[in-house]
Amino acid sequence: MAFKRSALTLLVSLAASALLNPLAHAEGKISIAQQFGIGYLILDVVRDQQLIEKHGKAQGLDIKVDWNSISGATAMNEALLTGALDVVSAGVPPMLTIWDRTRGKQNVKAIASLGSMPNYLLTNNPHVKSLKDFTDKDRIAVPAAGVGFQSRTLQIETAKVFGNDHFKKFDDISVSLPHPDATAALIAGQSEINSHFSSPPFQYQALQSPNVHKVLSSYDVLGGPATFNVLYTTEKFHDENPKTYKAFYDALVEAQGIIKADKAAAAQTYIRVEQSKLPLALVEKIVTDPEIDFTVVPQRTYIYAEKLHELGVLKNKADSWKDYFFEEAHADAGS
């Protein structure tokens, strides 16, 4: 199964298919894209145990699932809006941006959370202890500079420290780079990249280096445990594929339960599905970390909606988290 395709190859091939067959999509097909890291463990379990297919069969439907991997929210959003993908995944801020921009049009909304986990801003610069210590000579690697989860989180904290008018202060020293590459650069310490707003498992891997230390946690910014990644789709896919959508949502809920029931087995699933070379002991430590919760229930997402609207990033003001999540998620006590 061809899973890890480049963003460019994926967009070209799938967008071409969408243009040639604009009305070809029907119940029983779903194309999904995820990024890199243990933040996508729920999807790894879904894929490993073929849970979408299982729940589809429960409704009398044979579902064909197409799995893809892309780095960065920008490529994800482009693929979703061109019809190249049905479901994409990214941090809460990129989802909110596309929700904001497609209101009254494609009406993109979130499906479910993929879990709450902290993201750490790391550096190998011994002089950097807080945001105030960064200079124009530093370079901060993020998956999607200026627009991704890490950049938006950094912007919110920057506004808190330097004032709302300066919330983009660190955009000029941010560099778009996939987490695996940024981690390697940070540990090696031989490139212009001396900092990285990371995510699990990469941040834990980097912190094993004696030259790397933590500057900030996303939980510091948001006031506690908060959703990292979410899955989202268009209103069209949601409304025109009710059985496929239900099978997907039910698969996510089951995968959440599987992880909570046996975290050691879940760690093994991650290594197997992602073909990760990380030590099993490290992955188990991450999966069992009390700061991390693999849950489909959104937590503290509304903080992003509120702050990004205040900063002018979002034009539309959400009244609650339910405004940008499809109704299937509303039964849970989210935030």
Side-chain angles (χ1 to χ4, degrees):
M1 172 167 44
F3 174 60
K4 293 187 177 179
R5 294 186 241 176
S6 73
L8 180 61
T9 301
L10 176 74
L11 288 173
V12 170
S13 64
L14 293 189
S17 175
L19 288 171
L20 290 171
N21 302 283
L23 301 176
H25 200 291
E27 282 270 41
K29 295 180 181 178
I30 185 171
S31 56
I32 306 164
Q34 66 187 80
Q35 298 189 56
F36 303 100
I38 206 160
Y40 298 89
L41 180 59
I42 284 180
L43 289 181
D44 290 335
V45 172
V46 167
R47 185 156 59 103
D48 184 61
Q49 301 200 21
Q50 298 186 318
L51 297 181
I52 300 172
E53 294 89 338
K54 170 188 171 181
H55 286 280
K57 284 183 171 62
Q59 300 183 76
L61 190 66
D62 288 323
I63 299 177
K64 180 182 177 182
V65 184
D66 179 33
W67 294 96
N68 302 276
S69 182
I70 301 177
S71 177
T74 302
M76 285 282 187
N77 290 348
E78 288 175 358
L80 181 66
L81 294 181
T82 60
L85 291 168
D86 300 316
V87 174
V88 298
S89 52
V92 175
M95 177 275 295
L96 285 169
T97 299
I98 197 169
W99 162 78
D100 183 58
R101 293 177 181 174
T102 63
R103 285 192 73 177
K105 294 177 284 187
Q106 296 97 328
N107 291 322
V108 171
K109 291 185 181 181
I111 299 167
S113 163
L114 284 173
S116 295
M117 57 188 61
N119 279 221
Y120 296 161
L121 174 57
L122 307 174
T123 186
N124 59 26
N125 184 345
H127 302 295
V128 175
K129 306 297 183 185
S130 72
L131 290 191
K132 293 182 179 180
D133 298 322
F134 282 106
T135 72
D136 291 343
K137 295 180 180 179
D138 295 299
R139 293 293 180 269
I140 304 171
V142 290
V147 297
F149 174 91
Q150 290 80 11
S151 279
R152 292 302 190 196
T153 304
L154 181 58
Q155 288 170 356
I156 289 173
E157 184 65 13
T158 302
K160 190 188 306 181
V161 175
F162 297 97
N164 285 0
D165 291 342
H166 304 285
F167 79 97
K168 291 186 176 182
K169 177 179 175 65
F170 297 114
D171 283 13
D172 288 342
I173 65 169
S174 295
V175 179
S176 295
L177 199 65
H179 284 310
D181 298 336
T183 302
L186 193 67
I187 294 172
Q190 296 176 345
S191 75
E192 66 171 1
I193 303 297
N194 65 0
S195 304
H196 176 206
F197 211 140
S198 190
S199 72
F202 307 104
Q203 61 197 28
Y204 302 102
Q205 185 182 10
L207 283 170
Q208 290 182 326
S209 168
N211 297 323
V212 176
H213 67 272
K214 179 173 70 173
V215 178
L216 181 73
S217 168
S218 60
Y219 281 10
D220 299 332
V221 180
L222 300 169
T227 296
F228 171 28
N229 292 320
V230 290
L231 293 157
Y232 49 103
T233 189
T234 60
E235 183 180 60
K236 177 180 175 66
F237 180 79
H238 173 272
D239 292 353
E240 294 183 0
N241 302 275
K243 290 185 177 180
T244 303
Y245 188 95
K246 183 179 188 312
F248 180 53
Y249 190 83
D250 290 347
L252 297 171
V253 173
E254 183 175 357
Q256 163 194 267
I258 289 171
I259 294 170
K260 291 179 184 295
D262 192 341
K263 292 185 177 180
Q268 292 176 341
T269 298
Y270 173 78
I271 288 178
R272 183 173 60 254
V273 174
E274 296 290 336
Q275 298 179 348
S276 174
K277 296 180 180 178
L278 290 176
L280 177 59
L282 175 60
V283 178
E284 286 182 345
K285 181 180 179 181
I286 296 168
V287 174
T288 58
D289 188 328
E291 280 197 314
I292 294 177
D293 183 14
F294 293 97
T295 174
V296 299
V297 181
Q299 291 183 290
R300 288 183 167 85
T301 65
Y302 188 64
I303 294 174
Y304 281 109
E306 200 168 36
K307 290 299 295 183
L308 293 178
H309 178 263
E310 179 185 317
L311 293 173
V313 174
L314 303 179
K315 293 181 180 179
N316 294 286
K317 188 179 189 304
D319 292 325
S320 81
W321 67 274
K322 293 182 179 180
D323 286 356
Y324 48 83
F325 271 83
F326 283 112
E327 56 267 24
E328 286 78 5
H330 295 180
D332 293 314
S335 60

